Amino acid sequence: VKQEFKIFCLVPDLPAPADIVSICEEIHRNRWYTNFGPIATRFESAMAKFVGRIEGESLGAACFSSATTALELMLRAMQLPKGGKILIPALTFPATALAVINAGFEPVLGDVDANHWCLTADTALAVHKRSQLACVMPVSTFGRPLDTKSWLEFQADTGVPVLLDVAASLGQQSIPEGLSAVFSLHATKPFGVGEGGLAVTSDKELLARARSLSNFGFKGSAGVVQAIGTNAKFSEYYAAVGLRQLERWSDLEQRRKQVLGCYLKRITCLGGQVELQDGIGDFVPAVFSVAVNGANAGLQAAFANAAVQTRFWYLPLLNLHPALSDLQVSGGLQNSEYLARSLIGLPFHSFLSENDISKVCRILSDSV
Ligand SMILES: Cc1ncc(COP(=O)(O)O)c(C=O)c1O
């Protein structure tokens, strides 16, 4: 039976058709619709500046058909030891693991931090001492920006390269020189264009190899396959939406900040029953998951009874997906397992009213 919700968990906020007409006309005049066209090139330059605006002055950016394909092709382009182990958190969207497997590597699952719910460089170091890692892919859980300083140090100390899966944190996460990262442009992300992935790195050769893999492994103009690639190119139309989204970003972010502020004011009154992701408020998350001390299943039912949609984001944990049940775990998953019983994603998007937020918080306070 289809559940009719009065308050939806996530509503994408993309530019209106009227706002992209002129740039679509430009695409049409160019007769250039994909294959690294002028609009995608313009978008990539703008995004390199946007992502690196605090730290990464000389970042390069390349767009792909999705963050999943961008992660897979960046891993393949990193020239890691064949079949090597790649550490990822157990609490992440399945695409993190799928990109590793599809690129020909072996995922190893590590626990996340109890407070900010991300994999840490200390955990990675402990895993690396037990079994040699080829790479680490930390994830910006629910869009919480990662501590890039600790990952730069990890890379320097161990020589193990790091690829940040920052799919959900475009607009929140700045990338410094020396780290490579992949953002998602999927419609459900705060900075959505429809479908797409954005890889950023100061390693221009790495970016060129990944880009070539997205175009069948062709290099140069002759259409000669130099590596076994695929088709993971980015459409000019999505780039057009992206350029408009960039113009709307500060307004969009402001509205999301207001919604978050409204929530935080009310939730902090509930005391310790509702745990928030550490640092929230200093950043605006992509999705708003809170932890309710082992009681997420009952709470979802209470919300559903009131026609409020909630989601169990990044659940089940990776090793509980049937096709991923044989993944290796290193060092136990105590925090992730607690979070699997406790996390619930509340409605969070730019169209929520104060009344909606009051209603959600009332149900929350009545049920915890
Ligand atoms: C952590 C993480 N990694 C990767 C992805 C994949 O992104 P895309 O849908 O653009 O392939 C997502 C998407 O939700 C994600 O949350």
Side-chain angles (χ1 to χ4, degrees), residues 229-289:
T230 184
N231 181 0
K233 297 190 297 290
F234 186 64
S235 153
E236 289 284 272
Y237 285 107
Y238 285 137
V241 178
L243 283 169
R244 291 294 177 253
Q245 200 63 313
L246 194 54
E247 290 170 1
R248 298 173 78 233
W249 178 250
S250 66
D251 175 56
L252 184 53
E253 197 193 20
Q254 201 49 42
R255 283 186 283 128
R256 293 177 63 87
K257 241 186 209 158
Q258 273 166 9
V259 169
L260 180 66
C262 219
Y263 258 125
L264 294 184
K265 224 172 34 204
R266 288 168 172 82
I267 287 181
T268 35
C269 299
L270 302 181
Q273 295 296 86
V274 179
E275 270 172 80
L276 296 171
Q277 190 173 20
D278 188 57
I280 198 160
D282 297 336
F283 68 95
V284 185
V287 295
F288 186 37
S289 283

Side-chain angles (χ1 to χ4, degrees), residues 135-281:
C135 176
V136 181
M137 270 170 60
V139 173
S140 59
T141 308
F142 308 136
R144 185 193 195 275
L146 289 166
D147 169 15
T148 50
K149 188 164 164 280
S150 69
W151 288 110
L152 277 170
E153 281 166 12
F154 173 87
Q155 259 187 176
D157 293 348
T158 60
V160 174
V162 171
L163 176 63
L164 308 177
D165 177 351
V166 286
S169 59
L170 186 53
Q172 308 296 322
Q173 173 87 59
S174 125
I175 304 297
E177 307 271 350
L179 280 175
S180 302
V182 169
F183 296 94
S184 171
L185 302 167
H186 188 263
T188 55
K189 295 291 181 285
F191 193 121
V193 311
E195 284 279 9
L198 176 79
V200 297
T201 176
S202 38
D203 184 342
K204 304 281 163 63
E205 285 176 18
L206 166 64
L207 206 57
R209 287 195 297 274
R211 207 195 274 283
S212 159
L213 289 172
S214 79
N215 189 29
F216 312 101
F218 292 160
K219 219 184 226 161
S221 57
V224 175
V225 176
Q226 302 285 359
I228 304 301
T230 184
N231 181 0
K233 297 190 297 290
F234 186 64
S235 153
E236 289 284 272
Y237 285 107
Y238 285 137
V241 178
L243 283 169
R244 291 294 177 253
Q245 200 63 313
L246 194 54
E247 290 170 1
R248 298 173 78 233
W249 178 250
S250 66
D251 175 56
L252 184 53
E253 197 193 20
Q254 201 49 42
R255 283 186 283 128
R256 293 177 63 87
K257 241 186 209 158
Q258 273 166 9
V259 169
L260 180 66
C262 219
Y263 258 125
L264 294 184
K265 224 172 34 204
R266 288 168 172 82
I267 287 181
T268 35
C269 299
L270 302 181
Q273 295 296 86
V274 179
E275 270 172 80
L276 296 171
Q277 190 173 20
D278 188 57
I280 198 160

Side-chain angles (χ1 to χ4, degrees), residues 66-68 92-93 95-96 139 165 167 184 186 189 196 314:
S66 69
T68 309
T92 180
F93 188 71
T96 313
V139 173
D165 177 351
S184 171
H186 188 263
K189 295 291 181 285
Y314 299 168

